[in-house]
Amino acid sequence: MTEQKATNVTWHDHAVTSEERSKLNGHKGAVLWFTGLSGCGKSTVANAVDRLLHDRGVHTYVLDGDNVRMGLNKNLGFSPEDRTENIRRIGEVGKLFADSGTIVTTAFISPYREDRDAVRALFSDGEFIEIYVNASLETCESRDPKGLYKKARAGEIKGFTGIDAPYEEPASGELELDSDSHGIEELANQVIAYLETKGFLAA
Amino acid sequence: MTEQKATNVTWHDHAVTSEERSKLNGHKGAVLWFTGLSGCGKSTVANAVDRLLHDRGVHTYVLDGDNVRMGLNKNLGFSPEDRTENIRRIGEVGKLFADSGTIVTTAFISPYREDRDAVRALFSDGEFIEIYVNASLETCESRDPKGLYKKARAGEIKGFTGIDAPYEEPASGELELDSDSHGIEELANQVIAYLETKGFLAA
């Protein structure tokens, strides 16, 4: 638990409720939390899902690892504590977006189960949808779109997930996508089908 | 400037553009940054503006000082450095919301001009609208809705803005609201009129 430093603060109800915002949008708010190794395709699938939803008139947004690290989390590095704080902040921002009635997708390695569960705990039942984009290390390393695995193997990057830092697979996530055997479009459609089945695409 | 700690990151364009999100919403994204002393009415006016916009079908959200401090910024206190980091994070989150096509209102004392200008620098021209809710210290202290001035005068709260910590008035904000002489509804309508005049309420 992160300590609550500020005192003299109380939770304020918003004059416009979360339900009213959802009604205006015509669908519920939620966070689609993609997790997986670097190169597993989580950012690509997340953006594909976002595109499909947007084209259906769903109000969406994407929180992307690299983008958030250029802004909100620019003062964080890759130590275990900084990774934890990175995920914590993104979870809190995801919660604000979900509360605003947005379906927000996040695409972060988020390797530690404890960190992901801490984010899950921020949300009401069903609002947090954990999606494991499962690709073997072999597949990810062969893709290596940013050349990061090569650098990690050469010892130029320390603490790289899958090489010299752990990735803890979800124990009870909502969805697991097989990125070794299926293409982006198919995986994205699996996510859309889940949202439809669970009633997220209606207010 | 906050140092960029993470290396090996690059900015990713979103597959769905900010323009497309605005078009779906039917209006532009922006941040309405309310600033002023505790008790000046900024949170009340911000929520009134939010209500008026929502009722017109505008996609909005409110980032509130106390609410953000219960979540994203719960690990920050009230030291000058923590206040600066508080405002920096809120600015970055405001930027994400504006980019998502939302008109987001923020209601924070944000007493330091340098901190507000640092947030302004994150935005494109016109996207950041600084609104000074100007009420005299006498007025704010007589309202004292949370009894905080009383505690500050008694020395039970240290570093309280307006008592033993400075408030730096905006030098060149977009709007100044006279909260000593006007009611909430009138002030909220001044903000709506500004947004209409500047074309924010059309895509």
Side-chain angles (χ1 to χ4, degrees):
Chain A
M1 285 292 292
T2 302
E3 190 195 354
Q4 168 78 38
K5 279 201 187 166
T7 52
N8 302 309
V9 292
T10 48
W11 182 268
H12 282 190
D13 276 345
H14 290 151
V16 178
T17 66
S18 185
E19 289 69 30
E20 287 178 293
R21 299 188 194 281
S22 283
K23 197 174 168 192
L24 174 62
N25 285 352
H27 56 81
K28 294 181 180 62
V31 60
L32 306 179
W33 190 279
F34 289 82
T35 173
L37 295 172
S38 180
C40 72
K42 45 184 191 310
S43 188
T44 312
V45 178
N47 275 288
V49 168
D50 185 61
R51 167 57 69 189
L52 289 170
L53 289 173
H54 176 83
D55 289 352
R56 292 169 62 145
V58 175
H59 296 78
T60 62
Y61 196 60
V62 178
L63 297 173
D64 177 284
D66 292 351
N67 300 0
V68 168
R69 280 195 176 273
M70 302 279 288
L72 177 65
N73 292 354
K74 67 191 293 187
N75 52 0
L76 298 175
F78 290 97
S79 69
E81 311 82 67
D82 277 10
R83 281 176 185 251
T84 294
E85 174 66 4
N86 181 51
I87 296 306
R88 188 193 71 81
R89 288 188 200 167
I90 292 157
E92 293 284 2
V93 173
K95 190 186 175 190
L96 295 170
F97 269 100
D99 188 47
S100 83
T102 301
I103 295 186
V104 60
T105 65
T106 70
F108 300 89
I109 297 174
S110 46
Y112 301 122
R113 198 175 293 139
E114 190 178 350
D115 294 345
R116 296 191 305 264
D117 286 347
V119 173
R120 178 185 293 274
L122 299 175
F123 289 85
S124 305
D125 269 358
E127 265 188 333
F128 178 81
I129 301 160
E130 189 175 354
I131 303 169
Y132 177 31
V133 183
N134 189 352
S136 66
L137 181 61
E138 199 177 13
T139 299
C140 295
E141 202 163 353
S142 71
R143 292 173 183 163
D144 204 10
K146 303 175 204 165
L148 297 178
Y149 282 100
K150 205 176 164 190
K151 285 185 186 176
R153 290 286 186 196
E156 291 167 35
I157 303 176
K158 302 287 183 195
F160 195 78
T161 301
I163 305 298
D164 58 346
Y167 179 81
E168 299 172 358
E169 295 194 340
S172 54
E174 278 69 19
L175 269 175
E176 181 172 334
L177 306 180
D178 179 354
S179 174
D180 278 328
S181 327
H182 299 288
I184 298 298
E185 198 179 344
E186 191 177 343
L187 299 179
N189 280 318
Q190 285 181 34
V191 177
I192 302 292
Y194 177 90
L195 294 174
E196 278 178 338
T197 304
K198 296 290 184 180
F200 280 97
L201 303 185
Chain B
M1 283 295 290
T2 302
E3 191 197 353
Q4 167 78 39
K5 278 202 188 167
T7 52
N8 301 310
V9 292
T10 47
W11 181 267
H12 281 190
D13 276 332
H14 290 150
V16 177
T17 65
S18 185
E19 289 69 29
E20 286 177 293
R21 298 189 195 281
S22 284
K23 196 175 168 190
L24 174 62
N25 285 352
H27 56 82
K28 295 181 180 61
V31 59
L32 307 179
W33 189 279
F34 289 82
T35 173
L37 294 172
S38 180
C40 73
K42 44 183 192 309
S43 189
T44 313
V45 178
N47 275 286
V49 168
D50 185 61
R51 167 56 67 189
L52 289 170
L53 289 173
H54 176 83
D55 289 351
R56 291 169 63 145
V58 175
H59 297 78
T60 61
Y61 196 58
V62 178
L63 297 173
D64 177 282
D66 292 351
N67 300 0
V68 167
R69 280 195 176 272
M70 303 280 287
L72 177 65
N73 292 354
K74 67 191 294 187
N75 53 359
L76 299 174
F78 291 97
S79 68
E81 311 81 67
D82 277 10
R83 282 177 183 250
T84 294
E85 174 65 4
N86 182 50
I87 296 305
R88 187 194 72 81
R89 288 187 200 167
I90 293 157
E92 293 284 3
V93 173
K95 190 185 175 189
L96 295 170
F97 270 99
D99 188 47
S100 82
T102 301
I103 294 186
V104 60
T105 65
T106 71
F108 301 89
I109 298 173
S110 45
Y112 301 121
R113 198 176 293 141
E114 189 179 349
D115 294 346
R116 296 191 304 265
D117 286 347
V119 173
R120 177 185 293 273
L122 299 174
F123 290 85
S124 306
D125 269 358
E127 265 188 333
F128 178 81
I129 301 161
E130 189 175 354
I131 303 170
Y132 176 32
V133 183
N134 189 352
S136 66
L137 180 60
E138 199 177 13
T139 299
C140 295
E141 201 163 354
S142 71
R143 293 174 181 162
D144 204 12
K146 304 175 204 165
L148 298 177
Y149 283 99
K150 206 178 163 190
K151 286 186 186 174
R153 290 287 186 195
E156 292 166 35
I157 303 175
K158 302 288 182 193
F160 195 79
T161 302
I163 305 299
D164 57 346
Y167 179 81
E168 299 172 358
E169 296 194 340
S172 53
E174 278 69 18
L175 269 175
E176 181 173 332
L177 306 180
D178 179 354
S179 173
D180 279 326
S181 329
H182 298 289
I184 299 299
E185 198 178 343
E186 191 178 343
L187 299 179
N189 280 317
Q190 285 181 34
V191 177
I192 303 293
Y194 178 89
L195 293 174
E196 278 179 336
T197 304
K198 296 290 184 180
F200 281 97
L201 303 184

